[in-house]
Amino acid sequence: MGQMDKAEQDREKGKGLPQAFLQRMKAMLGEEYEAFMEAIGEGRCQALRLNPLKLREGGKTARQVLGEVADPEPEKVPWADHGYYYTEAARPGRHPYHQAGLYYIQEPSAMMPAELLEPRPGERILDLCAAPGGKSTQIAGKMEGKGFLLCNEIHPARAKILSENIERLGIRNACVSNEEPKRLAEVFPEYFDRILVDAPCSGEGMFRKNQEACGEWSPENVDMCAARQDQILDCAGKMLRPGGRLVYSTCTFSWEENEGSIDRFLAGHPEYRILPVSREGLGLTGCDGLCGKEGEKGLHLEGIVRMWPQRIKGEGHFAAVLEKNGTWPEGYRKAPACGVAKGIPLKELGEYMAFCQENLRVPEAFLRGEGCYMGYGENLYLVPGDMPSMRGLRILRAGLHVGERKKNRFEPSHALALALSPADVAHTWDLPFTSSEGEVLSGGTADSRELVAAYLRGQTFPAEGEKGWYLVCVDGFSLGWGKLAGGIMKNHYPRGLRIQTSEKF
């Protein structure tokens, strides 16, 4: 068979991609079009981001964790503090460290916008289009448990997934809402220090990762997405305080949804300006905006980043950093329109106080530390200090769910277990998975990996010790609760999270 001519090669590379999209990209990229087509025809890059909230107090170093789940010498994602690539042979999603919240599996380019946001401990931050939670958990890691993080998602099913990921990574200071941006803008005018808008888009940058996105694409859908992005950005603009930072990002290539969205926003919001991005400092050399013929027309925005798959190891992504003019008086904290959340007095939480006194090494850290307690039916939440009242809003998670107040007793939540470390509790039961050198251990007569799998399947196991609640851990990282009585550790791993296979890790 003879070699394919150039036209046949182009058709083969673009197989399954919309022709209108390919024509537009060819006009946009010019001489880079061939390199772009080669890149999207290759396998996608895979990466994970370590969770600093867990590794700070956990039983292993970052290098040991990476050696177990990815590679002993993993390649760093240049633009993300805790991001690392892994090969297709690695399966980090099937490792118990994943259930323990030690990392979040995330497309490498998607790690860039949260880095541009530059979150800081103690701030008020909004992730407006937050599901499934990659960027929210990245922001939370940089906030170090201090401040208030509102993670919003308009679609209920996706908001539930977002809430589950916030829980899995042991985040204490985040609230998950399921609201329209317009409603939040009414409640939080000029309230947040930083806002991330990772806007819903036509998803062109994910075509090689998600084939379904190809079938949903059309020029009309691009225009519809751009109009929706204008509405979302307008709402976000109203919620940022003077002097605050807003990052807008998408995973698409179209000018209408990227530079066009920023152009239209700035035209209607003269109080905003674009901030320059230090691409070299972030390892984003070459991600400097439009290229080819498309770069000759329209806006040349210095403060924007475009990630091209032919230039970096990742999918297509766009981001722009904006700042709102004005200053914020030092020490000033604007009260939300809805008022501040009023907590439950500790004297009314007798069963919970008794649980803390019996099971936590320093109960005062929880009972009289930052934040206050809110009740939603039987459920008790520890909410961030100075958290706004959420009355009238659809809330899935109001801070850290610590457990349920039952009749004459308190039952701790899975979220509380994942937010604690062995140093926090009176009783722990560690299930060894690897040695300190990374070698697989054997636990007596049963393989240690099977012991971990058995716990995650919801099985009980024999144990001796003081009766009561135990924080069950894997290699020093919390997995969930167990309750010891009569020589048996009763399993309190949530039914909905239990693995459904007898296969060993």
Side-chain angles (χ1 to χ4, degrees):
M1 182 182 294
Q3 290 186 336
M4 290 187 292
D5 61 27
K6 187 174 183 305
E8 289 176 317
Q9 291 176 353
D10 288 345
R11 282 194 296 271
E12 185 64 27
K13 291 175 188 174
K15 191 174 182 180
L17 297 175
Q19 287 303 306
F21 165 76
L22 293 174
Q23 291 169 6
R24 194 199 68 204
M25 294 305 296
K26 191 169 187 176
M28 176 184 288
L29 293 167
E31 293 180 356
E32 278 201 54
Y33 178 71
E34 286 298 319
F36 170 79
M37 293 303 296
E38 289 285 349
I40 64 173
E42 298 172 352
R44 61 189 177 93
C45 299
Q46 300 178 95
L48 59 81
R49 197 190 68 256
L50 294 174
N51 179 10
L53 299 177
K54 287 278 188 174
L55 291 173
R56 187 181 300 116
E57 299 177 352
K60 288 188 177 293
T61 66
R63 181 170 292 277
Q64 288 171 331
V65 171
L66 289 166
E68 170 68 18
V69 304
D71 189 286
E73 298 293 334
E75 181 183 355
K76 183 90 169 50
V77 176
W79 49 86
D81 282 343
H82 303 287
Y84 295 87
Y85 294 99
Y86 65 87
T87 63
E88 192 171 347
R91 304 178 74 181
R94 293 181 58 82
H95 199 286
Y97 288 179
H98 184 261
Q99 281 93 329
L102 270 65
Y103 48 84
Y104 189 99
I105 297 171
Q106 188 175 20
E107 198 283 311
S109 296
M111 301 178 189
M112 177 263 294
E115 296 289 340
L116 296 180
L117 190 67
E118 297 182 0
R120 296 170 185 168
E123 292 183 322
R124 299 169 170 179
I125 299 179
L126 168 64
D127 187 355
L128 187 53
C129 311
K135 297 174 180 66
S136 285
T137 55
Q138 188 174 359
I139 293 168
K142 293 178 179 294
M143 293 178 74
E144 300 177 359
K146 301 173 183 177
F148 171 57
L149 172 61
L150 179 58
C151 313
N152 183 70
E153 173 55 45
I154 192 171
H155 298 289
R158 287 172 55 80
K160 185 174 183 294
I161 295 170
L162 166 64
S163 182
E164 290 169 352
N165 281 320
I166 293 292
E167 175 177 285
R168 182 173 62 85
L169 271 72
I171 296 166
R172 302 185 183 191
N173 62 321
C175 178
V176 178
S177 60
N178 171 217
E179 279 293 346
E180 295 184 0
K182 183 179 179 181
R183 173 62 178 143
L184 294 180
E186 294 170 355
V187 177
F188 298 107
E190 293 194 334
Y191 179 80
F192 293 100
D193 299 303
R194 299 174 194 269
I195 298 177
L196 175 62
V197 179
D198 185 47
C201 65
S202 58
E204 297 168 356
M206 297 293 166
F207 277 179
R208 71 172 171 180
K209 178 182 176 183
N210 181 6
Q211 289 298 314
E212 290 182 9
C214 298
E216 298 171 357
W217 187 92
S218 70
E220 293 76 20
N221 187 45
V222 169
D223 292 339
M224 181 189 71
C225 289
R228 181 172 55 196
Q229 290 152 6
D230 290 349
Q231 295 171 358
I232 294 172
L233 263 176
D234 183 64
C235 293
K238 295 174 182 176
M239 290 187 277
L240 191 70
R241 69 162 173 85
R245 172 177 290 223
L246 187 156
V247 172
Y248 172 79
S249 65
T250 74
C251 58
T252 198
F253 298 115
S254 74
W255 187 91
E256 293 84 356
E257 299 178 72
N258 293 331
E259 289 87 354
S261 288
I262 297 300
D263 182 23
R264 295 187 298 273
F265 178 76
L266 292 176
H269 297 80
E271 71 275 22
Y272 277 85
R273 67 186 182 97
I274 295 178
L275 290 180
V277 175
S278 175
R279 300 180 186 85
E280 291 73 20
L282 283 169
L284 291 168
T285 303
C287 301
D288 51 359
L290 292 168
C291 55
K293 296 180 180 179
E294 195 73 14
E296 299 170 5
K297 70 174 186 177
L299 288 177
H300 292 265
L301 302 176
E302 290 294 328
I304 65 101
V305 174
R306 267 188 180 260
M307 304 181 85
W308 299 97
Q310 74 271 21
R311 295 184 181 182
I312 52 98
K313 289 186 68 173
E315 309 301 329
H317 228 87
F318 169 91
V321 183
L322 305 174
E323 184 180 72
K324 195 171 190 175
N325 295 337
T327 58
W328 198 254
E330 187 175 352
Y332 174 70
R333 305 296 281 172
K334 182 175 182 178
C338 54
V340 177
K342 295 182 179 180
I344 303 173
L346 286 177
K347 64 182 180 180
E348 297 179 16
L349 300 175
E351 293 85 358
Y352 172 66
M353 291 181 69
F355 170 85
C356 290
Q357 294 289 349
E358 184 178 342
N359 295 285
L360 300 183
R361 290 190 179 181
V362 188
E364 294 299 309
F366 263 76
L367 292 175
R368 303 189 188 279
E370 293 184 7
C372 65
Y373 289 95
M374 300 286 295
Y376 296 85
E378 291 184 335
N379 293 294
L380 185 66
Y381 286 82
L382 174 59
V383 303
D386 198 34
M387 192 181 92
S389 169
M390 294 296 173
R391 184 174 299 174
L393 296 176
R394 293 191 294 269
I395 302 299
L396 277 72
R397 182 173 297 273
L400 175 63
H401 180 213
V402 294
E404 295 181 50
R405 294 180 291 170
K406 307 281 189 178
K407 187 176 181 180
N408 299 322
R409 66 186 176 89
F410 178 80
E411 181 125 347
S413 71
H414 185 59
L416 178 60
L418 291 172
L420 295 171
S421 73
D424 296 322
V425 297
H427 301 106
T428 62
W429 194 277
D430 195 56
L431 300 174
F433 198 75
T434 59
S435 70
S436 59
E437 289 77 29
E439 298 174 351
V440 178
L441 292 174
S442 294
T445 59
D447 184 271
S448 63
R449 298 197 173 213
E450 175 53 29
L451 290 177
V452 177
Y455 175 75
L456 294 174
R457 286 196 293 268
Q459 297 175 10
T460 61
F461 55 87
E464 295 296 335
E466 235 183 287
K467 70 176 183 177
W469 290 101
Y470 280 71
L471 187 67
V472 179
C473 303
V474 55
D475 290 342
F477 298 105
S478 58
L479 272 178
W481 292 109
K483 196 169 188 181
L484 182 57
I488 296 295
M489 186 71 75
K490 296 179 181 179
N491 196 308
H492 283 259
Y493 196 72
R495 292 184 181 276
L497 298 178
R498 293 176 183 176
I499 59 176
Q500 304 297 317
T501 177
S502 60
E503 180 183 350
K504 295 182 180 180
F505 288 114

